[in-house]
Amino acid sequence: MGDWFEVRDYDAAGRIGELTVPRADVTVETPALLPVVNPHVRTVEPARMEAEFGAEILITNGYILYGSDDARESALADGLHDLYDFSGAIMTDSGSFQLSEYGEIDVDTREILEFQQAIGSDIGTPVDIPTPPDVSREQAAEEQATTQERLELAAEVETGDMLVNAPVQGSTYPELRERAAREAYGTDLDVFPVGAMVPLLNNYRFADVVDMVAAAKRGLGADAPVHLFGAGHPMMFALAVAMGCDLFDSAAYALYARDDRYLTVRGTEHLEDLEYFPCECPVCASHTPDELETCDDAERERLLAEHNLHVTFGEIRRIKQAIRQGNLLELVEARARGHPTMLDGYRALGDHAEQLEATDPATKDAFFYLSGESAARPEVLRHHQRLERLDADGEVLLTEGDTNEAYDESWRVVPPFGPFPRDLSEVYPLNAEVPERLDERAYARAADGVARLAAANPDVDFTLGHTGWPPRALERVPDAVDTYELGVDDAFGDDEGGTDDERA
């Protein structure tokens, strides 16, 4: 692939990047939203999306243009940018969605790519096979192989300055997704959509989405811009960005408006159920729900679509700011509390902590422990890995309390990180903000940290002084580590309590 994509900032696997689109002569800052523009129905004009909402890129259906005589001739004669009055980048789809819906289309990869190039598309798409979830592995592998053949053909088509998508398929088989991504990346195409996600998204299977994106990311290079095809609801953008997605296309703003549905970052509301608008966008600031309901159908649809766009673009900006400040995962956690299946997705994200840790910055402003899911964050994993490189000597007290001169060394213990030398207390993330009432998972992860340190220093005598750790957490502490509860037992076996300093 060319040098089209450059990463500027990371947080977890989320990133702010710049996608250079040579044919349009524009650079799109990612994460970016691509509003879907129906060639026949424009609920909000593309020129307004650019001027009022800040759209830098949009997507339209090249196959619909190809199959419509009037639209085809207009696109060929005027070019997409004049046809849509849009100066940003324009991506076109190939008809693969129609293929998945209806079983066949009357165009092949070479024809549709040449057509997309002829109408002035900036990023074109070959005809891949969007394999749905949960099919047999044999079907998924066979269709992924066919998609790869078409990607290799697409790499041979003369497309000039038009970038070309290389969709990553593989159904719900992580190993197929990873292989598909690796092979797609090897074609030297330009943008890498994770395809056939719509059925998973429509059924709120966010954990599966995370797993499939994680698998695709493992097969792609760090310089590969990743598009999550069909991800149009703002409630899941932060989660997808944290996993490493850069581009999102949304038809939801218009489709939902057509059904009187109102987008929020926590979910979707029906207009008739709202007495107040929980939003400060221009539409909501100047209308009440009752006023919007009294509008004629076309006006109500337009206003709802505008609100939906405001919310969607606003979430993209919020995510970018979170990446800049290093608190993207706190935003993901806030969004995860909006729906049980989003929480499933966030927990699945934690399963890929090692993958996130590879790009997560070592230093940030603050770490907020907000729930048991915070114990799975990459910062905790990184600290545990570093424990294996820390040396201790003699008799060492690991304690949540004060120092004790009866020991050669006295290290701090802070759940969920576990032990560390006291002179690291103000170093990120060990200066974390942690609630007083911790959950069991925080203690369990701290115990894992104790176990790692003890394993790395087998000749050291460790003692853990803890404050009421739950039994299941203490079971994770190695037998070779003595334990006592602060304020109840002391390190010398009596039960008189007192502080560490008093016992010294």
Side-chain angles (χ1 to χ4, degrees), residues 91 115 119 141 144-145 155 206 209 228 246 278 309 339 346 370 442 499:
M91 181 186 290
F115 174 70
I119 63 176
Q144 185 270 319
F206 296 119
V209 171
L228 187 57
D246 307 294
L309 279 174
H339 196 282
Y346 182 40
L370 301 175
T499 67

Side-chain angles (χ1 to χ4, degrees), residues 254-321:
L255 296 176
Y256 284 26
R258 203 165 300 155
D259 293 334
D260 284 349
R261 289 189 286 173
Y262 176 98
L263 291 181
T264 78
V265 294
R266 292 176 57 86
T268 308
E269 304 286 350
H270 287 275
L271 180 61
E272 64 184 6
D273 295 330
L274 293 173
E275 293 186 42
Y276 308 95
F277 282 140
C279 174
E280 302 80 27
C281 79
V283 174
C284 296
S286 56
H287 298 81
T288 67
D290 286 343
E291 289 170 347
L292 216 57
E293 282 198 273
T294 62
C295 294
D296 63 60
D297 291 347
E299 177 72 359
R300 184 173 63 254
E301 180 180 336
R302 180 184 64 81
L303 290 171
L304 280 173
E306 289 179 11
H307 157 79
N308 292 343
L309 279 174
H310 279 298
V311 169
T312 307
F313 276 106
E315 183 69 355
I316 292 291
R317 292 191 296 272
R318 192 174 293 110
I319 289 167
K320 289 178 181 178
Q321 184 61 29

Side-chain angles (χ1 to χ4, degrees), residues 29-65:
E29 185 179 75
T30 63
L33 174 73
L34 292 75
V36 175
V37 176
N38 187 314
H40 299 309
V41 182
R42 301 185 193 175
T43 309
V44 179
E45 289 294 331
R48 289 194 59 214
M49 292 181 184
E50 184 173 11
E52 298 179 28
F53 297 89
E56 297 180 320
I57 182 171
L58 57 80
I59 183 170
T60 192
N61 195 306
Y63 179 70
I64 291 177
L65 290 167

Side-chain angles (χ1 to χ4, degrees), residues 130-207:
T131 307
D134 308 318
V135 301
S136 70
R137 193 186 187 285
E138 291 73 18
Q139 178 184 339
E142 180 180 340
E143 294 181 353
Q144 185 270 319
T146 301
T147 289
Q148 179 61 23
E149 291 173 3
R150 295 177 180 181
L151 297 187
E152 292 171 2
L153 171 62
E156 298 173 359
V157 176
E158 179 53 53
T159 56
D161 287 339
M162 183 178 76
L163 303 183
V164 178
N165 284 319
V168 176
Q169 298 294 344
S171 186
T172 37
Y173 297 93
E175 72 281 7
L176 287 183
R177 288 280 182 177
E178 183 173 350
R179 185 179 78 189
R182 186 166 53 251
E183 293 177 353
Y185 187 70
T187 62
D188 208 31
L189 294 176
D190 306 295
V191 180
F192 299 88
V194 182
M197 290 289 101
V198 171
L200 295 176
L201 293 164
N202 286 347
N203 287 287
Y204 290 77
R205 292 172 59 178
F206 296 119

